[in-house]
Amino acid sequence: MLRINADAYHIVGIDIGIHHIRAVVTNLNADIKASETLTLTEQINQETLVKHLIATVSHVLERASLTPKDLMGIGIGMHGVVDPEAGKAVFAPNLGLRDVSLREPLEQVFSVPVHVENDVVAFALGESWFGEGKDTGNFIAVNIGEGVGAGIILNGQIYKGASFSAGEIGHTTVDMNGPRCSCGNYGCLQSLVSGPAIARQAAQQIREGRASKLTDLCGDDLDAITGEMVDRAARMGDELAREIFLQTGRYLGIGLANLINTLNPRKIILGGGVTNASDLFLDELNATIQERAMDTPAKAVSIVISRQGEYASAIGAVTIVLNGLFAPQIYV
Ligand SMILES: [Zn+2]
């Protein structure tokens, strides 16, 4: 039997989000040896992003008492549209960045191969290697956090589309009369179920006269309400907060029913910050799917929550490197 010494080499996985850079260093089994989260406070540009990345990789290696020589590679999961072949971020709307080369500067500093992917594609790959997607080649990993996006695995292969933007379900319309979305469209799924969308709906209803414990939680500053606060209020029995999560379940159910009818997946794996409140909306979500999706695909699918936690996309970035080395057939 061929066995691999998992500790012989290490991999750095980086998740570049809107407010955080998360990095892990793992062995070949994706066991985390050290981790680091950098909170992005100021507006970043191309130069500062690369500077932060280099510093984060250096720190996490130091923490694990490793050097770049111990690395098999560095994987980067970047939000927005990514060109994996060119190793760059094509467009990251939430950071306002275009055409940022990520591979080149990191390869120059660390002298190891650097792979760049969309963060949700990375999340899906991580689930297929080490998480809920291990037992099936047909699943969709959906991230619901600051934004909403999906990584699609069909017949054991990542599906990326003609120009690397497949899976942008956050910008599919689920309410013709819904609020304006960051993409300019109205009633997108993301404008109704993301963390900021949940916070915004709560603030709006309080402005319209609804009473809520959130008024105390935010210290009377309605603009300071966050998705986490709405979660906390719901657990304190707050009626408004509970209603908003039920509505989140319904809209998410509509969005997922469309996916289920189109792609007939075996599993949908949910991750991202909003799933910390999944117990508050999962029943409503499942009921909506039963109501709205066709019988045959609805019976075939199960909706599960990722167990990878806040480093799910960083672990996913590690698997980008593993995938290139050990499973070229999944990578097209
Ligand atoms: Zn949109």
Side-chain angles (χ1 to χ4, degrees):
M1 228 172 89
L2 182 68
R3 298 191 92 195
I4 295 167
N5 176 5
D7 284 316
Y9 282 100
H10 291 81
I11 295 170
V12 169
I14 305 170
D15 166 27
I16 307 174
I18 299 162
H19 299 303
H20 299 98
I21 294 175
R22 294 190 170 89
V24 294
V25 54
T26 75
N27 67 6
L28 299 182
N29 286 335
D31 301 321
I32 296 179
K33 303 293 178 177
S35 64
E36 165 133 348
T37 299
L38 178 75
T39 304
L40 302 171
T41 44
E42 86 274 37
Q43 178 66 38
I44 57 171
N45 57 34
Q46 185 158 344
E47 222 170 281
T48 48
L49 174 62
V50 170
K51 216 176 73 193
H52 285 321
L53 284 176
I54 292 169
T56 309
V57 173
S58 303
H59 282 164
V60 87
L61 282 176
E62 215 170 280
R63 279 198 185 171
S65 307
L66 296 169
T67 71
K69 284 197 173 59
D70 301 307
L71 291 182
M72 203 155 220
I74 297 172
I76 300 176
M78 170 80 189
H79 77 271
V81 181
V82 167
D83 182 345
E85 281 156 26
K88 65 182 187 181
V90 177
F91 181 42
N94 298 308
L95 289 175
L97 296 176
R98 279 180 194 275
D99 280 322
V100 182
S101 191
L102 298 172
R103 178 197 293 153
E104 209 192 331
L106 265 74
E107 284 190 344
Q108 265 176 20
V109 172
F110 297 106
S111 302
V112 293
V114 175
H115 303 262
V116 186
E117 257 302 352
N118 168 271
D119 58 346
V120 190
V121 168
F123 167 41
L125 269 181
E127 291 293 331
S128 80
W129 275 71
F130 301 108
E132 294 286 341
K134 269 196 298 198
D135 55 350
T136 173
N138 286 296
F139 74 89
I140 302 168
V142 180
N143 182 69
I144 316 151
E146 297 283 323
V148 177
I152 302 167
I153 305 246
L154 296 177
N155 300 327
Q157 298 198 326
I158 282 271
Y159 179 73
K160 294 189 194 175
S163 53
F164 311 114
S165 78
E168 288 287 351
I169 59 149
H171 300 290
T172 53
T173 307
V174 290
D175 179 359
M176 241 173 78
N177 304 308
R180 193 177 162 94
C181 179
S182 60
C183 73
N185 192 10
Y186 290 86
C188 292
L189 184 60
Q190 179 169 307
S191 72
L192 292 157
V193 307
S194 65
I198 287 169
R200 190 181 31 71
Q201 290 167 75
Q204 191 181 326
Q205 294 222 27
I206 295 168
R207 281 196 182 96
E208 286 167 7
R210 281 287 298 267
S212 168
K213 292 184 167 56
L214 280 162
T215 315
D216 290 337
L217 287 178
C218 71
D220 276 327
D221 177 5
L222 297 182
D223 292 330
I225 293 176
T226 61
E228 289 87 6
M229 274 183 212
V230 184
D231 181 344
R232 229 183 309 150
R235 289 176 204 289
M236 291 160 70
D238 187 72
E239 194 73 16
L240 172 64
R242 297 190 80 91
E243 274 172 32
I244 287 173
F245 278 113
L246 292 181
Q247 187 177 284
T248 301
R250 279 194 288 276
Y251 279 123
L252 204 50
I254 292 171
L256 296 188
N258 293 339
L259 266 185
I260 290 165
N261 283 355
T262 312
L263 295 171
N264 188 197
R266 177 67 61 198
K267 265 187 182 176
I268 292 182
I269 305 166
L270 305 179
V274 172
T275 56
N276 291 331
S278 62
D279 56 313
L280 298 169
F281 63 75
L282 207 52
D283 286 348
E284 198 67 20
L285 185 157
N286 279 313
T288 307
I289 288 172
Q290 292 311 316
E291 221 176 274
R292 303 220 177 214
M294 289 174 66
D295 262 0
T296 308
K299 279 198 187 105
V301 72
S302 55
I303 312 292
V304 297
I305 307 294
S306 166
R307 284 168 293 148
Q308 310 263 34
E310 65 169 320
Y311 288 107
S313 288
I315 294 279
V318 165
T319 51
I320 300 167
V321 178
L322 288 173
N323 211 48
L325 293 169
F326 298 114
Q329 78 279 3
I330 199 176
Y331 198 84
V332 288

